[in-house]
Amino acid sequence: MKKSPLLTFIAFICGVANCFASITVQVSTDRKDALYRENDEITFTITARDGEKQLDWGKIHWTLSLDGHETLDQGERSLDGEKYVVVKGKLNQPGFLLVKATFEGPDEKKVTAYGGAGVSPTKIPMSLPVPEDFDEFWLAQKAQLAKSPATFTAEPVVLPDADHGIEAVDINIQCETDGPPVSGYFAKPRDAAPKSLPAVLWVHGAGVRSSSLPTATHGARMGFLSMDINAHGIPNGQSAEFYKELAAGALRTYRHDGRESRDSIYFRGMIVRLIRAIDFLTSRPEWDGTVMAVVGHSQGGLQALAAGGVDERVTFIASGVPAGCDHSGMKANRISGWPKIVPLLENGQPEPAALEASRYIDAVNFATRCKADAILSVGFIDRTCPPTSVYAAFNALPGPKRMINEPKMGHTSGPIRERFQQALEAHVAEKKGAAVQQ
């Protein structure tokens, strides 16, 4: 029986709809590293694929923006037999361009992807200068902390047989009198000799969760005094429901809590707990007196930069796609990083009190004080911690530093962790070599 044209058309549409889930969109630049200079013409090519097959049907919607902050151009085009759409742009100043491309197929189903390009990113300046009393403020926080004894409780943790050479505890260290403690897992090689081990502090991204025992023991297996702390000073090893309730309750709005004042802003306490954690690690008899590293991603990247800026004992930081950068970006007509802590008023201006408070917990300002060896990562299509904000912090670092550029990476740490570990191991080797030469 011969099929009718109508049935053939319906079968075609159904086939397209069924395969739509496998369609991907790609936005690529005409340079592999996606790095340019001011006034260079940048060519973005947008393609849609079904597996390996490049599509020549459907519609492409696109916007070109200043790293998601301000739309510079936009348009749409039906492919109609063509296999790509080209978008061109340029910047006359350091920054990032971002293309958001959406493929629209049958039944208005859509798939979206991003492409980014950096324009002289190592020239991106700070949006505001460091507050004149920034150092005074943080010296006062440290002095106040010093008045609280660093007493702690440590409950031994049973480890798998594979970790028989490691000992670990669930540790709770007193911090500020009226604030949460440092809460984490501390692990070290069993029977380590005095002054034989470097120290590493692992810090967490956004959210509400327990400290990580596997991370702490991993550091110990690497030969470190290793401590992983949660971001909030909350108990470890509780049920999933426990953390879910905290995230929906007391800690639901922590990202913006207290932003009306530098004294009450939530991240102030988080940074103070870093100092107390470093107090503990550097007080251990096994510490080698040389290496004090802090490693984290996203909100953990903010903490790593803050630790390096507020505590001169820190010798190495690894800060992946760091949050908390350039809260005052709107003052320079550019995007700010997570958690977008400064609200905008109806007139488009930043709320004054929050803007002022944010400057005292801005990773960019801590970066200016950080003399530690530093390695950072940045994703050119990161929409949580945009590359403009990350580079503002990187450029402010005065000490030895390295950036891992990932043009096609969003907000993630997966591809970066091994490279951070290699950098940490190289830092330890360098410090040991320097000690031998002395």
Side-chain angles (χ1 to χ4, degrees), residues 197-335:
L197 299 178
V200 61
L201 177 64
W202 312 93
V203 286
H204 285 203
V208 180
R209 65 184 72 87
S210 170
S211 303
S212 170
L213 180 59
T215 300
T217 55
H218 171 71
R221 288 194 298 273
M222 290 172 61
F224 283 83
L225 292 171
S226 174
M227 186 157 65
D228 182 282
I229 63 173
N230 66 64
H232 308 291
I234 56 179
N236 299 311
Q238 304 300 303
S239 67
E241 188 63 27
F242 174 85
Y243 300 108
K244 184 178 178 181
E245 288 181 2
L246 271 180
L251 294 174
R252 182 174 62 87
T253 60
Y254 83 84
R255 300 158 180 80
H256 296 157
D257 284 354
R259 61 184 175 184
E260 65 275 2
S261 164
R262 66 182 186 179
D263 296 310
S264 60
I265 199 164
Y266 186 85
F267 291 96
R268 183 207 64 83
M270 190 183 295
I271 293 164
V272 167
R273 290 192 290 278
L274 297 176
I275 300 169
R276 181 46 49 95
I278 294 167
D279 286 342
F280 174 81
L281 285 168
T282 58
S283 71
R284 298 300 89 199
E286 301 91 347
W287 184 49
D288 65 9
T290 302
V291 173
M292 180 63 246
V294 184
V295 180
H297 301 264
S298 192
Q299 180 183 264
L302 155 64
Q303 292 177 79
L305 285 163
V310 79
D311 198 316
E312 61 185 10
R313 293 171 292 186
V314 175
T315 64
F316 173 90
I317 65 167
S319 176
V321 290
C325 296
D326 212 23
H327 297 306
S328 54
M330 72 289 292
K331 299 295 290 184
N333 190 36
R334 63 190 195 216
I335 198 164

Side-chain angles (χ1 to χ4, degrees), residues 140-149 174-176 272-273 275-276 279:
Q141 306 308 302
K142 293 165 76 173
Q144 185 64 32
L145 176 64
K147 295 178 182 179
S148 298
Q174 183 177 333
C175 200
E176 298 176 290
V272 167
R273 290 192 290 278
I275 300 169
R276 181 46 49 95
D279 286 342

Side-chain angles (χ1 to χ4, degrees), residues 143-192:
Q144 185 64 32
L145 176 64
K147 295 178 182 179
S148 298
T151 56
F152 63 90
T153 60
E155 294 293 330
V157 177
V158 178
L159 298 176
D161 292 341
D163 284 330
H164 67 274
I166 302 298
E167 58 185 39
V169 295
D170 182 345
I171 193 162
N172 192 283
I173 311 170
Q174 183 177 333
C175 200
E176 298 176 290
T177 303
D178 58 349
V182 173
S183 178
Y185 289 111
F186 170 62
K188 67 182 182 72
R190 195 182 302 277
D191 301 323

Side-chain angles (χ1 to χ4, degrees), residues 107-130:
D107 300 326
E108 298 184 347
K109 293 183 178 179
K110 296 178 181 179
V111 178
T112 296
Y114 294 89
V119 177
S120 299
T122 56
K123 296 180 182 179
I124 294 173
M126 300 170 65
S127 54
L128 287 178
V130 180

